Amino acid sequence: MHAEPLSAFPPDFVWGAAASAYQIEGAADEDGRGESIWDRFCATPGNVRSAESGAVACDFYHRYRDDIGLARELGLDAFRFSIAWPRILPDGRGRVNTAGLDFYDRLVDALLEAGIRPFPTLYHWDLPQALEDAGGWPARATAEAFVEYVDTVAARLGDRIADWTTNNEPFCASWLGYGWGVHAPGRRSVADALAAAHHLLLSHGWAVEVLRRHSPDAEVGIALDLSPIQPVSDDAADTEAARVMDGSHNRWFLDAVLRGEYPPDMLDRFAQVAPPVADGDLAVIAEPLDFVGVNNYSRWLVRADPASGEPLVVRPPEAQLTDMGWEVYPDGLYEVIMRLHGEYAVPKIYVTENGAAFADVVMHDGRVHDLERQAYLEDYIAATGRALGEGAPIAGYFVWSLLDNFEWSYGYSKRFGLVYVDYPTLRRIPKDSFSWYRDLIARRHAVAHPEAASPARA
Ligand code: FCB
């Protein structure tokens, strides 16, 4: 374990935690919320472990004030949450559900009152089912509907939001949902995945303009899942496998958003299933951004698989793994940040997600001693500090997640929270990592505002 280099973090560095609507809110049938693709996906046997769903989740919809109390106790500068499209437009477009807007209005005000910057994401995977029924993200009309939704949300909240994130992880939303079928809506088609990815990116580009109109002073960005992808050996075939996987996971999205092009080698590879790109789309997608959010957890080691012709992920020997089976690899966060800074010259970077699932238990003393999570966060924050020290423009860091929550197809079996949630009672138990993160933030704030930390003078 390293101590994070204290001096690397500037005084205005944003310390945060993140979550998303479907994973924490619950209240799936309340106040006029429409059905989302995740409600439907969870209801289909075999999709989610133990047939669990986000129907109740952490019940954040009713308990948000208490949870903001926890965020305040942590000393968070910002809270990253997402807005559920089916609460705002239950049918995806058309009819606006005012009760849905009211909820986020109250949430934003409660955060502001607590001195915590609301850091909303507009799409964290809960597409209204009605839009999926009409074609989903492979259809261009879904990106057009997103503009209507963003316009509705920004008209209501835009006066109080300083940081907007359009889409969360378009790679996962497209490939896991439409390519591999392991996330909602559970389709398995490479052509659909590529078309979905294109329309997610297009929806992002269009949304940037809408957000700037409603919130002229706000900063706008996107959250991308970026992981280093490395060959398992120097063998030419393995190196090529890593290049290909980097092409579909990382470069596809980075090149589109930051350079206005899809990587030519990947377009060749996908020639038979090319996405439906209309004239001008890539210019929209590459609309200049104020920041790029990085979601990073691990790295992927790959080797060539002559049988399938596809890169194959291999488990690194002797690696320390989290409960997700993901390797603990703090240098990976440093590497992706330095790539954004060096290769793509991104003006501002947030680590919008980073964290680890471990099999936490409440001990006889009623506490959760999650030392592994603390060590993980400590090392990844140190990696962030190292990138800062080398000039990367990192403005903030968000732990995934504030609370244990619904981890998609893994249901409630994976705990990422700084706060343990006892699902049968919904009781919150701050873990040891909570106290550790609270103290780290307090030390940073003391460096930034020494006068506030010194005893009052008579
Ligand atoms: C990311 C997702 C987030 C959470 C973490 C563990 O890919 O954005 O919702 O599930 O992984």
Side-chain angles (χ1 to χ4, degrees):
M1 231 187 279
H2 329 108
E4 72 289 347
L6 204 100
S7 53
F9 294 89
D12 57 351
F13 193 82
V14 174
W15 295 98
S20 88
Y22 192 72
Q23 294 178 279
I24 61 169
E25 284 180 2
D29 294 324
E30 274 178 64
D31 293 342
R33 176 183 176 278
E35 188 189 14
S36 84
I37 55 174
W38 271 95
D39 299 301
R40 182 72 65 89
F41 187 73
C42 294
T44 311
N47 281 342
V48 175
R49 190 184 171 278
S50 310
E52 288 169 336
S53 79
V56 177
C58 306
D59 195 33
F60 178 81
Y61 190 78
H62 297 114
R63 295 166 197 248
Y64 68 94
R65 287 191 188 279
D66 293 344
D67 291 334
I68 291 173
L70 288 167
R72 191 177 188 168
E73 211 180 308
L74 265 177
L76 293 189
D77 296 312
F79 179 56
R80 176 172 179 244
F81 60 98
S82 78
I83 294 169
W85 186 345
R87 285 199 195 281
I88 310 297
L89 294 142
D91 309 312
R93 57 193 325 166
R95 184 173 58 89
V96 175
N97 177 39
T98 316
L101 281 171
D102 292 345
F103 170 66
Y104 294 105
D105 203 270
R106 293 194 298 275
L107 175 60
V108 164
D109 283 347
L111 285 165
L112 290 170
E113 272 161 37
I116 299 171
R117 220 152 106 184
F119 214 95
T121 298
L122 286 148
Y123 186 70
H124 200 126
W125 307 354
D126 42 1
L127 182 72
Q129 181 64 40
L131 293 179
E132 175 59 22
D133 294 342
W137 282 111
R140 195 174 175 95
T142 300
E144 290 159 5
F146 185 70
V147 174
E148 196 180 316
Y149 155 64
V150 172
D151 190 46
T152 310
V153 172
R156 180 72 180 268
L157 304 180
D159 56 334
R160 282 155 290 158
I161 301 298
D163 311 88
W164 287 106
T165 301
T166 55
N167 285 305
N168 181 67
E169 302 190 356
F171 171 82
C172 286
S174 54
W175 280 92
L176 273 57
Y178 290 89
W180 305 337
V182 295
H183 274 190
R187 289 202 232 166
R188 288 169 202 268
S189 148
V190 172
D192 283 351
L194 289 167
H198 182 65
H199 294 133
L200 279 155
L201 290 173
L202 187 62
S203 78
H204 151 78
W206 280 334
V208 173
E209 183 272 317
V210 178
L211 292 167
R212 293 227 159 99
R213 188 152 35 81
H214 287 289
S215 301
D217 299 328
E219 301 207 330
V220 182
I222 187 170
L224 299 175
D225 48 315
L226 301 172
S227 309
I229 293 170
Q230 297 163 357
V232 76
S233 79
D234 294 342
D235 185 278
D238 291 341
T239 307
E240 172 63 8
R243 196 188 57 78
V244 166
M245 193 162 146
D246 183 56
S248 58
H249 281 57
N250 296 325
R251 284 187 289 126
W252 189 267
F253 297 90
L254 289 169
D255 288 8
V257 170
L258 298 165
R259 293 184 178 156
E261 62 181 26
Y262 288 125
D265 59 320
M266 297 311 293
L267 282 174
D268 282 351
R269 191 176 171 89
F270 292 134
Q272 302 304 314
V273 280
V277 181
D279 273 359
D281 283 2
L282 280 152
V284 170
I285 291 171
E287 182 69 31
L289 297 177
D290 300 296
F291 68 87
V292 171
V294 180
N295 295 358
N296 172 264
Y297 293 87
S298 190
R299 71 162 162 177
W300 306 111
L301 274 190
V302 297
R303 72 168 174 80
D305 177 31
S308 68
E310 295 294 323
L312 208 69
V313 173
V314 292
R315 185 149 291 173
E318 294 169 34
Q320 191 203 337
L321 305 179
T322 68
D323 202 27
M324 296 295 284
W326 298 345
E327 181 189 5
V328 178
Y329 186 71
D331 284 350
L333 179 53
Y334 166 82
E335 287 163 21
V336 295
I337 291 172
M338 293 313 280
R339 184 180 199 183
L340 281 174
H341 174 50
E343 271 179 56
Y344 292 92
V346 168
K348 190 186 257 197
I349 299 168
Y350 284 97
V351 178
T352 31
E353 284 182 29
N354 173 246
F358 289 107
D360 301 315
V361 280
V362 183
M363 302 292 278
H364 59 279
D365 59 357
R367 295 173 47 189
V368 180
H369 302 295
D370 58 336
L371 277 174
E372 287 170 301
R373 178 171 296 99
Q374 181 180 320
Y376 177 102
L377 296 174
E378 211 158 351
D379 286 350
Y380 276 77
I381 289 172
T384 307
R386 190 147 63 89
L388 262 170
E390 292 177 26
I394 313 164
Y397 171 93
F398 292 77
V399 173
W400 183 272
S401 184
L402 178 63
L403 306 169
D404 289 342
N405 59 50
F406 177 75
E407 180 47 35
W408 310 113
S409 53
Y410 295 91
Y412 295 95
S413 66
K414 306 295 177 196
R415 295 182 176 273
F416 276 92
L418 296 170
V419 176
Y420 183 96
V421 176
D422 176 52
Y423 292 109
T425 61
L426 292 169
R427 195 156 73 90
R428 273 65 165 152
I429 304 171
K431 303 177 190 175
D432 285 2
S433 59
F434 178 99
S435 317
W436 167 82
Y437 193 47
R438 179 198 61 205
D439 294 349
L440 178 143
I441 295 174
R443 286 200 306 280
R444 292 286 170 279
H445 287 167
V447 172
H449 308 286
E451 66 291 348
S454 59
R457 271 181 233 136

